[in-house]
Amino acid sequence: MKKLKVRYKEFILVKNIMENIEIQELLQKHCKEIINSFISKDIDFSIIANISNSSFHPKLPSDLQDSLSKFSIFSLAGYTFKSAHIKDESLCFEAGFGKDNFGSLVKIPLNSIFQIIKDDNIIFINTSATFDNIVKNPKNNSMNLFKSNPNNKKFT
């Protein structure tokens, strides 16, 4: 029982660290720098992303959407790589899905990217992407704005 309590405390500590806004911002910045570096150097790569907050335009047909898992891998090579760019703190790229190669513009928030992979080597990992209640846009979080005001310190 004691070992279980220790593991639970460790889990809570890690969860608190990963939910920390400053840590999230550092991870997002690092992710952005790696992706921008790969794109500028023409280095193709893959990502594993939590697609819960991702968007597809046009929307994927329901059979294709249902075939994606919560954590999906995307290989950015060829045309998909050439279309890749970062916009509004999200990785955007065009990709084809399914046997008919249904085309869609994919937009994945940087803080939803769990891993960046190159040739089966993990280059970057963001464990905060695994938490469902993670703040997806830390800079626009109203609680952060509230806390950042020195006059509100007595309320936090």
Side-chain angles (χ1 to χ4, degrees), residues 129-156:
T130 63
F131 293 114
D132 288 331
N133 63 344
I134 206 73
V135 178
K136 290 300 174 191
N137 193 352
K139 292 182 181 173
N140 295 333
N141 181 298
S142 61
M143 184 56 102
N144 286 342
L145 296 173
F146 178 82
K147 288 179 181 178
S148 68
N149 183 336
N151 295 328
N152 294 333
K153 294 287 183 203
K154 59 187 172 195
F155 300 110
T156 58

Side-chain angles (χ1 to χ4, degrees), residues 26 28-38 86 110:
L26 284 171
Q28 184 170 321
K29 180 181 176 194
H30 188 54
C31 180
K32 184 177 190 176
E33 290 170 345
I34 291 170
I35 291 172
N36 276 332
S37 178
F38 280 5
I86 293 183
L110 294 173

Side-chain angles (χ1 to χ4, degrees), residues 56-98:
F56 301 85
H57 297 287
K59 289 186 177 185
L60 298 178
S62 59
D63 61 322
L64 291 175
Q65 183 70 42
D66 293 344
S67 70
L68 294 175
S69 62
K70 181 177 178 179
F71 288 91
S72 294
I73 187 165
F74 298 92
S75 294
L76 284 83
Y79 178 75
T80 298
F81 176 79
K82 294 293 182 197
S83 70
H85 62 282
I86 293 183
K87 180 180 179 185
D88 301 327
E89 300 304 313
S90 294
L91 174 61
C92 304
F93 54 90
E94 293 181 39
F97 296 87

Side-chain angles (χ1 to χ4, degrees), residues 89-145:
E89 300 304 313
S90 294
L91 174 61
C92 304
F93 54 90
E94 293 181 39
F97 296 87
K99 63 180 183 216
D100 295 328
N101 208 25
F102 181 86
S104 184
L105 176 63
V106 182
K107 185 175 181 183
I108 301 173
L110 294 173
N111 53 9
S112 291
I113 295 174
F114 177 55
Q115 291 180 351
I116 300 173
I117 304 162
K118 175 62 182 160
D119 298 331
D120 297 327
N121 296 300
I122 299 171
I123 306 299
F124 170 82
I125 189 164
N126 172 16
T127 55
S128 70
T130 63
F131 293 114
D132 288 331
N133 63 344
I134 206 73
V135 178
K136 290 300 174 191
N137 193 352
K139 292 182 181 173
N140 295 333
N141 181 298
S142 61
M143 184 56 102
N144 286 342
L145 296 173

